[in-house]
Amino acid sequence: MAQQHIFEGTLHWSGGCQQDAHGKLKLARAFAVRFKDKPAIEGSSPAVFNGDDSRHNPETLMVASLMSCHHLTYLAVCERANIELLEYTDSATGTLAIKDGKMRMVEVVLWPQVRIANAAQLEQARELHAKAHAHCFMSNSVNFDVKVQPTVTA
């Protein structure tokens, strides 16, 4: 496998501005991110930062990236261990807060719920979450805590 992979995308802001009740300029926050041969991601900032909560924002995309990376890495380690998964769901919480004087993501907690075919492999399937976390490209790329709180059943 190559040791470097490039992912190229574009972001387009369509513009738009208005003045608030005090005459202060307010720029629209809506944008679209595109990668070749994939659907566009319609984004904005969260409403708390003058955006549109009906669109994804960098914070939700960060949490989604960590959830999906853990999921895909977990599938890979389960394949290698010959553990058959029947179901996988996850819910996650990302916390944005002031740390070291800057607003930043300070923690993401994942709660994957996994159901496997063979009850004799329950303990191994639980342990593989730690291995998946250690090998997840995205959690290895961030400078905040990513915690994984799995539940595995048969």
Side-chain angles (χ1 to χ4, degrees), residues 41-114:
I41 299 168
E42 301 293 331
S44 181
S45 58
V48 70
F49 300 119
N50 300 317
D52 180 352
D53 277 338
S54 71
R55 292 171 170 249
H56 287 287
N57 56 60
E59 297 80 10
T60 60
L61 294 170
M62 174 68 77
V63 174
S65 178
L66 290 162
M67 276 194 296
S68 58
C69 187
H70 182 83
H71 167 65
L72 295 169
T73 307
Y74 187 73
L75 293 181
V77 297
C78 284
E79 281 177 342
R80 289 185 192 105
N82 204 32
I83 294 177
E84 182 182 350
L85 298 184
L86 300 176
E87 187 175 358
Y88 185 111
T89 60
D90 197 354
S91 58
T93 302
T95 303
L96 190 67
I98 301 282
K99 181 178 177 185
D100 301 327
K102 295 179 181 178
M103 182 64 82
R104 62 178 73 202
M105 193 67 75
V106 296
E107 177 183 75
V108 170
V109 182
L110 309 177
W111 286 282
Q113 308 286 310
V114 178

Side-chain angles (χ1 to χ4, degrees), residues 3-64:
Q3 295 300 309
Q4 181 175 327
H5 307 277
I6 307 296
F7 301 90
E8 295 178 333
T10 61
L11 182 144
H12 178 74
W13 175 69
S14 57
C17 64
Q18 58 186 12
Q19 290 184 348
D20 68 11
H22 306 289
K24 186 175 178 183
L25 179 66
K26 292 289 184 184
L27 295 171
R29 299 297 198 267
F31 62 87
V33 174
R34 289 182 175 79
F35 291 86
K36 185 178 180 183
D37 300 326
K38 294 174 179 50
I41 299 168
E42 301 293 331
S44 181
S45 58
V48 70
F49 300 119
N50 300 317
D52 180 352
D53 277 338
S54 71
R55 292 171 170 249
H56 287 287
N57 56 60
E59 297 80 10
T60 60
L61 294 170
M62 174 68 77
V63 174

